[in-house]
């Protein structure tokens, strides 16, 4: 639990199994998966615009916000990191236009204006504010098919527009609100793409992984794989595996949460992403799964002043209150353990919210997936709510799945998240305080705060 | 095997035993035998009252009504599902034989926020909640003990 196995010396890092390597090197692999998801995505948008306005009978709501969301947050992100980005349909039209091709590697430069993305936006802040903006309207987006479809379409158009102006996947890297939190929580995944031997990359001058060659494109995510230490910004497009002439890039398993301890890459924008994600999980659990009807109506914009109060509360809680509490805990820890740069300590401790936040989102998602998952059966047969019965399941009744099991799972997930978070706090503190006792003391206030937050979730779910 | 590894495994084993004990040790049922009657009104997208508390063993009668559109009353864990039209009251009766928090939900699509129209029946003593809080404490303490005594101090 405390000491992760040391990374094996580069020469010992194994190559991928041959079958996997062949698959990932195939140029058709990613577009084939994207075409499948693009089909589902197009269906979701069409159903949103032209199908029934009843969300629980509309493919666009049920398959995006119940099925896809559950798959993403409960399975894909915790176990496979950014693998959704491999198959995500949002950037596909823009990327295919840039390349003037879908499968084969088209020669020449990308077709784009080739502008440089402003340096001040090369971080997670746009994604942070984008996510908060969407979260402010979530009660509406999650339940109105036409608005949900409009948001999805806006994402595609934004990705398309940015791909015409800027090179590569600027939308995915700096703008996509979903990509932001997937990147954050991908740090937990036990799967990573890394080079086998850093020295080989240093000695290789051509840098095919960055500039591309006849086998593939330069990294669309603007990452140099030779220096990749975390999953956060690698979109698992596998172009580097295709282009590397040294066969030096591999995919491998590792302990959960290994990226949380890469001290030199911690940043305030990522710390705030962690606050926002945990804060939103707490707010959603209160508003959507709680018993307070007036709060649901405020979020549902029953009147503009009510919604403004709700949105202001959401933003204040996520951007001021939660970070403020963490700052206080880090400050107390520093007072107890010894002087240290408070900002660095604050940012480092914020990463403890990655495991806890992921656990909180899993617990929250279980809460509505178990109860509302059965809508998927009827929607599968009648995606538009037009009275079709394609697979004979259109009349499947709404049946909550094992609601009495739910709280056991939520408690289990939250407890594991808390243990992981406290462990992360200690290990992060050890990077500041060389002695064991100092590090342990420094992280105690943060551990208390993490426990308090977990306790609030338990009160909401079981109390 | 190095002593540190032995120590860590011992701490983990102890924590696991405490976990199992907290979750599975049977607690005495404090059964009541009272009768409680409640009126519960439904309108988009809330139940009034939003929370009902009774004791384990109580016989509970709930009179359901709707103030706007057709709603449904589904009670988790008790397999109760009742449709309620506006202007017509319905009555359900059951014995609260399981402790814990059970959500009641609207079971008839009633509008945009229908899936989130939720209320709570709490059957005291809410043992699952107290077990969960105890587990939370055990999680924290066992992790701290593990980190303090099982860490590589070098």
């Amino acid at each position: 639990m405390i000491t992760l196995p040391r990374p094996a010396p580069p020469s010992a890092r194994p190559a991928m199994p041959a079958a996997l390597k062949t698959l990932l090197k195939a140029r058709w692999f990613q577009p084939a998966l994207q075409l499948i998801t693009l089909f589902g995505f197009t269906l979701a948008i069409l159903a949103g615009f032209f199908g029934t306005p009843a969300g629980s009978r509309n493919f666009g709501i049920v398959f995006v916000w119940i099925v896809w969301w559950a798959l993403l947050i409960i399975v894909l992100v915790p176990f496979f990191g950014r693998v959704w980005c491999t198959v995500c349909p949002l950037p596909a039209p823009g990327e295919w236009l840039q390349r003037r091709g879908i499968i084969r590697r088209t020669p020449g430069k990308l077709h784009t204006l080739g502008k440089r993305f402003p340096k001040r936006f090369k971080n997670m802040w746009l994604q942070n504010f984008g996510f908060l903006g969407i979260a402010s309207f979530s009660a509406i987006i999650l339940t109105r098919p036409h608005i949900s479809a409009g948001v999805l379409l806006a994402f595609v158009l934004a990705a398309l527009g940015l791909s015409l102006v800027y090179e590569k996947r600027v939308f995915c890297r700096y703008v996509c609100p979903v990509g932001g939190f997937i990147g954050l929580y991908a740090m937990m995944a036990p799967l990573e793409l890394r080079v086998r031997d850093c020295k080989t990359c240093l000695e290789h001058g051509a840098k095919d992984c960055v500039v591309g060659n006849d086998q593939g494109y330069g990294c669309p995510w603007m990452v140099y794989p030779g220096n990749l230490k975390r999953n956060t910004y690698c979109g698992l497009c596998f172009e580097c595996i295709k282009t590397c002439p040294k066969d030096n890039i591999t995919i491998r398993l590792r302990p959960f949460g290994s990226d949380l301890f890469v001290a030199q890459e911690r940043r305030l924008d990522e710390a705030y992403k962690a606050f926002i994600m945990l804060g939103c999980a707490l707010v959603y659990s209160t508003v959507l799964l709680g018993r307070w009807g007036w709060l649901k109506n405020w979020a549902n914009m029953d009147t503009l002043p009510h919604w403004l109060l709700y949105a202001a509360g959401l933003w204040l809680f996520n951007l001021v209150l939660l970070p403020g509490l963490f700052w206080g805990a880090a400050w107390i820890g520093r007072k107890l353990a010894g002087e240290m740069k408070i900002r660095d300590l604050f940012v480092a401790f914020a990463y403890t919210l990655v495991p806890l936040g992921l656990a909180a989102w899993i617990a929250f998602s279980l809460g509505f997936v178990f109860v509302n998952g059965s809508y998927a059966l009827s929607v599968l047969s009648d995606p538009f709510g037009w009275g079709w019965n394609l697979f004979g399941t259109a009349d499947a009744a709404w049946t909550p799945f094992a609601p009495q099991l739910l709280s056991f799972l939520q408690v289990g997930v939250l407890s594991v998240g808390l243990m992981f978070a406290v462990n992360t706090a200690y290990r992060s503190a050890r990077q500041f305080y060389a002695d064991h006792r100092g590090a342990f003391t420094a992280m105690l206030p943060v551990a208390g705060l993490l426990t308090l937050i977990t306790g609030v979730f338990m009160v909401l779910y079981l109390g | 095997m190095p002593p540190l590894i032995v120590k860590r495994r011992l701490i983990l084993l102890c924590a696991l035993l405490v976990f199992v004990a907290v979750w599975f040790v049977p607690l005495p049922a404090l059964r009541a035998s009272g009768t409680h009657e409640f009126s519960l009104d439904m309108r988009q997208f809330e139940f009034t009252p939003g929370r009902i508390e009774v004791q384990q063993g109580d016989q509970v009668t709930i009179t359901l009504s709707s103030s706007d559109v057709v709603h449904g009353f589904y009670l988790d864990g008790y397999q109760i599902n009742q449709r309620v039209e506006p202007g017509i009251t319905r009555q359900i009766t059951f014995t609260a034989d399981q402790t814990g928090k059970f959500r009641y939900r609207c079971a008839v699509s009633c509008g945009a926020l229908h899936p989130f129209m939720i209320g709570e029946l709490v059957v005291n003593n809410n043992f699952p909640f107290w077990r969960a809080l105890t587990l939370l404490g055990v999680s924290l303490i066992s992790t701290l003990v593990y980190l303090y005594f099982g860490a590589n101090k070098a």
Side-chain angles (χ1 to χ4, degrees):
Chain A
M1 194 168 170
I2 295 171
T3 45
L4 295 169
R6 284 176 190 283
S11 56
R13 286 179 187 161
M16 283 178 285
L20 181 63
K21 190 161 81 179
T22 306
L23 192 67
L24 299 184
K25 274 180 172 279
R27 289 227 56 88
W28 57 264
F29 176 63
Q30 191 186 21
L33 296 172
Q34 283 178 307
L35 281 170
I36 295 169
T37 55
L38 192 59
F39 171 75
F41 186 76
T42 309
L43 188 62
I45 290 179
L46 290 175
F49 283 132
F50 304 111
T52 173
S56 53
R57 294 283 165 194
N58 191 301
F59 181 89
I61 293 290
V62 173
F63 264 81
V64 173
W65 301 121
I66 297 178
V67 177
W68 168 76
W69 178 261
L71 194 67
L72 180 75
I73 207 74
I74 299 173
V75 181
L76 295 182
V77 172
F79 295 101
F80 303 98
R82 284 204 96 131
V83 81
W84 169 255
C85 300
T86 307
V87 304
C88 179
L90 293 179
E95 189 166 69
W96 295 340
L97 266 179
Q98 273 190 353
R99 294 174 177 178
R100 296 285 195 273
I102 295 179
I103 295 178
R104 71 186 179 86
R105 178 15 171 147
T106 47
K109 282 185 164 184
L110 295 173
H111 294 262
T112 156
L113 294 179
K115 302 273 185 198
R116 293 181 74 85
F117 196 64
K119 201 177 172 190
R120 64 179 177 279
F121 294 135
K122 287 187 171 180
N123 48 53
M124 266 199 188
W125 288 112
L126 277 179
Q127 292 168 314
N128 286 345
F129 291 118
F131 189 88
L132 268 180
I134 288 172
S136 306
F137 294 96
S138 55
I140 294 161
I141 295 170
L142 297 180
T143 56
R144 270 76 160 184
H146 62 289
I147 293 176
S148 184
V151 170
L152 296 181
L153 190 60
F155 279 4
V156 179
L157 293 177
L160 190 65
L162 287 170
S163 72
L164 294 175
V165 180
Y166 302 107
E167 271 199 342
K168 304 182 178 180
R169 287 198 182 194
V170 161
F171 175 79
C172 304
R173 174 79 195 261
Y174 301 116
V175 181
C176 179
V178 178
F181 78 77
I182 294 181
L184 184 81
Y185 290 148
M187 288 197 264
M188 288 298 296
L191 192 75
E192 64 181 13
L193 180 146
R194 296 289 186 272
V195 295
R196 295 170 65 197
D197 179 5
C198 294
K199 202 165 154 242
T200 305
C201 292
L202 282 173
E203 290 168 354
H204 181 230
K207 301 284 184 279
D208 296 55
C209 56
V210 176
V211 296
N213 58 23
D214 59 348
Q215 299 299 310
Y217 297 91
C219 178
W221 286 74
M222 294 156 280
V223 165
Y224 170 47
N227 199 27
L228 198 60
K229 295 186 178 69
R230 304 185 306 165
N231 288 352
T232 314
Y233 303 109
C234 167
L236 295 179
C237 64
F238 310 123
E239 286 295 334
C240 54
I241 290 177
K242 296 176 181 76
T243 53
C244 182
K246 305 282 184 185
D247 197 17
N248 193 36
I249 296 176
T250 187
I251 290 187
R252 58 188 171 158
L253 295 172
R254 60 172 196 182
F256 279 95
S258 302
D259 292 353
L260 297 172
F261 309 107
V262 182
Q264 65 270 35
E265 296 198 12
R266 290 187 186 128
R267 296 178 353 201
L268 188 65
D269 54 328
E270 293 180 3
Y272 260 81
K273 171 57 79 185
F275 291 128
I276 289 168
M277 292 311 297
L278 182 83
C280 284
L282 198 53
V283 171
Y284 284 4
S285 296
T286 309
V287 175
L288 298 178
L289 301 185
R291 62 178 189 269
W292 301 277
W294 59 272
L295 203 46
K296 294 177 209 288
N297 287 328
W298 283 25
N300 195 31
M301 220 184 255
D302 61 346
T303 64
L304 189 61
H306 281 165
W307 178 80
L308 285 173
L309 274 173
Y310 165 75
L314 178 81
W315 284 65
L316 275 175
F317 180 68
N318 283 296
L319 296 179
V320 181
L321 184 62
L322 202 51
L325 285 172
F326 248 80
W327 185 280
W331 185 83
I332 296 170
R334 189 187 67 152
K335 280 280 166 204
L336 294 173
E339 284 304 308
M340 198 57 67
K341 209 173 163 190
I342 183 71
R343 187 182 185 277
D344 292 348
L345 205 57
F346 166 71
V347 170
F349 280 145
Y351 284 78
T352 60
L353 296 184
V354 174
L356 188 62
L358 182 59
W361 274 100
I362 292 173
F364 164 74
S365 304
L366 288 170
F368 71 84
V369 167
F370 267 48
V371 173
N372 296 313
S374 62
Y375 285 128
L377 280 177
S378 59
V379 161
L380 202 59
S381 277
D382 188 11
F384 291 85
W386 288 346
W388 297 357
N389 197 356
L390 299 174
F391 305 106
T393 55
D395 297 321
W398 170 73
T399 316
F401 174 72
Q404 59 274 43
L405 185 68
L406 190 58
S407 48
F408 292 91
L409 291 176
Q410 288 172 323
V411 169
V413 168
L414 286 168
S415 299
V416 171
L418 174 69
M419 290 194 281
F420 221 113
V422 173
N423 179 48
T424 304
Y426 171 76
R427 291 190 58 185
S428 301
R430 278 303 288 267
Q431 293 171 333
F432 290 86
Y433 299 94
D435 69 306
H436 161 69
R437 195 182 288 264
F440 189 82
T441 310
M443 69 91 185
L444 278 178
V446 171
L449 185 56
L450 294 167
T451 311
L452 184 71
I453 293 168
T454 313
V456 172
F457 276 104
M458 291 199 179
V459 170
L460 285 171
Y461 293 144
L462 287 95
Chain B
M1 194 181 292
L4 191 61
I5 302 287
V6 175
K7 198 193 277 183
R8 285 177 185 174
R9 290 191 176 174
L10 206 62
I11 295 169
L12 283 178
L13 184 67
C14 290
L16 192 66
L17 287 174
V18 178
F19 260 72
V20 172
V22 169
W23 202 249
F24 291 104
V25 163
L27 294 170
L30 302 171
R31 286 187 174 275
S33 54
T35 305
H36 291 279
E37 292 189 11
F38 299 93
S39 292
L40 196 145
D41 185 57
M42 293 177 250
R43 66 185 146 89
Q44 290 174 323
F45 300 97
E46 64 181 318
F47 294 91
T48 310
R51 183 177 170 104
I52 292 173
E53 289 197 38
V54 297
Q55 290 291 323
Q56 188 182 18
D58 280 345
Q59 180 147 25
V60 182
T61 299
I62 304 179
T63 304
L64 303 164
S65 62
S66 166
S67 301
D68 45 23
V69 298
V70 177
H71 290 284
F73 179 88
Y74 177 91
L75 182 57
D76 288 356
Y78 283 85
Q79 310 303 323
I80 292 170
N81 195 348
Q82 177 67 58
R83 185 183 169 91
V84 184
E85 291 89 2
I88 303 171
T89 57
R90 305 274 178 190
Q91 207 166 58
I92 54 165
T93 300
F94 61 96
T95 303
D97 52 0
Q98 310 166 63
T99 65
K101 177 152 115 176
F102 304 91
R103 286 182 171 80
Y104 39 86
R105 310 168 187 280
C106 181
V108 175
S109 188
C110 63
L113 258 62
H114 153 72
F116 305 115
M117 185 171 160
I118 294 168
E120 298 166 355
L121 166 75
V122 176
V123 182
N124 290 317
N125 295 313
N126 186 352
F127 288 132
F129 173 59
W130 296 113
R131 282 185 203 269
L133 280 193
T134 312
L135 270 186
L136 180 67
V138 173
S139 302
L140 177 69
I141 291 166
S142 58
T143 309
L144 292 178
V145 168
Y146 184 95
L147 291 173
Y148 194 81
F149 295 104
N152 188 348
K153 291 171 188 171

